[in-house]
Structure formats: C-alpha cells, structure tokens
Amino acid sequence: MSSSAGTTAGRPRRPGPPKRDERLTGVRRVSVVDELVEQMTRKIVTGVWPAGAMLPSLREFAADTGTSMLTVREAVRTLQARGWVETRQGVGTVVLEVEHDDRFVPWSLGASDVAEYVELVEAREAIESAIVDLAARRRTDAQLTRLDELLETMAAAGTDVPRFLAADGEFHIVLAEAAHNRILLRNMLAIRSPMRRLMANRLETEIALRGDLVRSHADHHDMVASVRERDPRAGRAALARMSERARRDLDALGPADGR
C-alpha cells in the first residue's frame, strides 16, 4: 500500500503544514468548537489533510480562525477522541489513516433528548468522581499549575459564556490527564461534545438566575483545592453540586421518558 505522506530515499517523508488556501476559515457560529471540528473533519475526509500529515500548531490554528488556543485545543481533542488524529509527544498532531468507516465516534444529542442528557449527567458524575480520586493521588505540579491557570481564565471570563466554556472544557480534560488513566481520559474526551451543549445551557441559566458565574467558578476552585491537598472529598462534593444543578435544569424541560 502506498503512503499518502510520500517517501524520500525510501524513508517516510513528513508532509509540511497545509498551504495557506488549505487552512481553516474564520468562525462565526456560536458553537465555535463544533464548527472547528466540522471544518477540520471535512479537510481530512476530502484529502486536503491526508493521512500522515502534520497539523499546524495550535497558535497557527487560532490565528487562522480568529479563536482562542483553548478552543482549538478542544476541537483537536474531539478529533482525537473520534479517531481522526493522534497527538504524539514531541512530534505534534498527525492525521491517522483509517481503512474503514466503523471508527469510534462519540454520540451527539439533540436539544430534546432529555432522557439521554439525564443519563449523561449520571455518567459524567461517575466518571469524574473516579478521576478526582486518582488525580488527588497522581497529579503532577505542572498539571496543578495548569488547573490554577484555567481557574484564572474562568474568573477573567466574567459572564462571557463562550470564553468560560472553553476554559471549562480544558479544565476537565487536564483534570482527567492528572488521573493518569487512559481509559478515564478517553471517556472524558468522548462525552465532551454533548457536555458542551449541556454546559452552555447551564451557564446561560446561571447568568439569568444569578447574574454571574461565581458559583460555577467556586465549584471548580474546590476541585482544584481537593487535588492540591490530595483529599478528593471536597472535589467530589463540588462535582455533586454541579450535577445536581444540571439535573434541576433538565427537570425543568419536562419528564424524561416518563421518569
């Protein structure tokens, strides 16, 4: 089988970054992560970014699309969870070659799928409780520093929901990485897409009811403090509070399959 990446003197040749006209365009939709994922997937499917190609840096992506590096990182991680790309330590993000279409793709939920959103909240709480337990024992100083930085970004976001949401998405992935368990990390990557819609609605509701996102920021602060002190109890309690608010929001939409 010939490689789309090409060869040089019998050795695989790493393609350079995409040409200017192959790069992504500016993003205008509210769900900027979803639009980035859609654009990037289209580039891969159509062969503009062939298997083996190295993607540009996060900084280049952010400059091309007019978005933040947090947003771009979230989009890349979504592609990683779907099996389109792989991020290799010290190398970069590489487009994968898949010879069939039955790759893993995280599910997507419509706005009216209340029953599944209820189950999503349950699953998220179970998965992230295990993550908090492990992260409290296994986190590195660098990961703790990154969590602190993301807390500062959330605080600076104020009532800017897209900015807060981007930091929130990065926060929970870094927390999962701090658990040093690849299965738990993959599960968090898999649920990020439907969780974005749920969290966006949750934050808008919080602003409508309280005028700020202080309560959400405080819960994230408690999770970091829990990991810092290597005691998961406060982190699990914060996660339970966030889950309970999400469940109340979903209850307001109506019964979930007669529950």
Side-chain angles (χ1 to χ4, degrees):
M1 179 183 298
S2 62
S3 170
S4 56
T7 59
T8 301
R11 297 189 304 276
R13 177 175 59 83
R14 181 193 303 172
K19 298 174 183 177
R20 188 74 194 179
D21 60 352
E22 296 172 347
R23 293 182 178 179
L24 304 180
T25 59
V27 174
R28 298 175 189 72
R29 288 193 215 162
V30 174
S31 182
V32 291
V33 173
D34 289 341
E35 180 168 347
L36 278 174
V37 170
E38 180 182 322
Q39 285 194 44
M40 295 163 81
T41 301
R42 191 182 307 120
K43 300 288 188 187
I44 295 170
V45 170
T46 59
V48 176
W49 295 347
M54 298 292 299
L55 297 190
S57 68
L58 297 180
R59 192 175 302 280
E60 289 179 82
F61 269 142
D64 285 344
T65 59
T67 58
S68 70
M69 289 179 63
L70 281 176
T71 299
V72 175
R73 187 179 287 112
E74 177 82 354
V76 170
R77 279 174 165 153
T78 299
L79 289 180
Q80 180 182 348
R82 295 181 179 183
W84 291 109
V85 302
E86 178 180 79
T87 300
R88 299 172 183 170
Q89 187 71 26
V91 177
T93 302
V94 184
V95 177
L96 297 178
E97 182 170 8
V98 181
E99 298 180 359
H100 45 76
D101 291 329
D102 59 346
R103 71 189 74 195
F104 168 71
V105 178
W107 68 93
S108 60
L109 302 180
S112 61
D113 295 330
V114 178
E116 284 196 73
Y117 274 115
V118 170
E119 293 172 3
L120 174 64
V121 171
E122 293 174 351
R124 181 270 184 102
E125 186 173 7
I127 292 167
E128 200 153 24
S129 291
I131 285 172
V132 168
D133 283 345
L134 292 176
R137 302 203 307 263
R138 299 176 178 176
R139 56 83 176 165
T140 65
D141 289 343
Q143 287 163 335
L144 187 59
T145 297
R146 183 61 183 143
L147 290 171
D148 283 332
E149 291 171 349
L150 290 165
L151 276 179
E152 292 178 4
T153 301
M154 289 182 195
T159 57
D160 184 337
V161 169
R163 187 178 175 193
F164 191 102
L165 194 60
D168 175 89
E170 174 76 358
F171 178 97
H172 291 282
I173 297 303
V174 172
L175 185 64
E177 291 172 341
H180 295 276
N181 182 297
R182 288 173 292 181
I183 306 303
L184 289 173
L185 175 59
R186 289 170 189 164
N187 274 276
M188 282 302 295
L189 287 167
I191 68 174
R192 286 314 298 167
S193 180
M195 279 300 301
R196 272 197 304 274
R197 182 195 292 269
L198 185 62
M199 285 305 302
N201 291 340
R202 169 91 280 283
L203 295 177
E204 294 286 2
T205 299
E206 191 79 355
I207 291 173
L209 292 175
R210 298 172 60 89
D212 57 44
L213 298 176
V214 171
R215 187 162 58 174
S216 183
H217 179 270
D219 285 333
H220 287 81
H221 179 275
D222 287 352
M223 295 179 79
V224 175
S226 183
V227 170
R228 174 179 288 107
E229 295 163 9
R230 300 192 184 279
D231 182 349
R233 289 175 293 181
R236 289 198 301 263
L239 181 62
R241 290 193 297 270
M242 289 189 285
S243 298
E244 180 56 30
R245 290 198 295 271
R247 279 189 285 268
R248 287 201 300 266
D249 288 348
L250 290 169
D251 287 343
L253 297 178
D257 289 351
R259 294 183 191 178

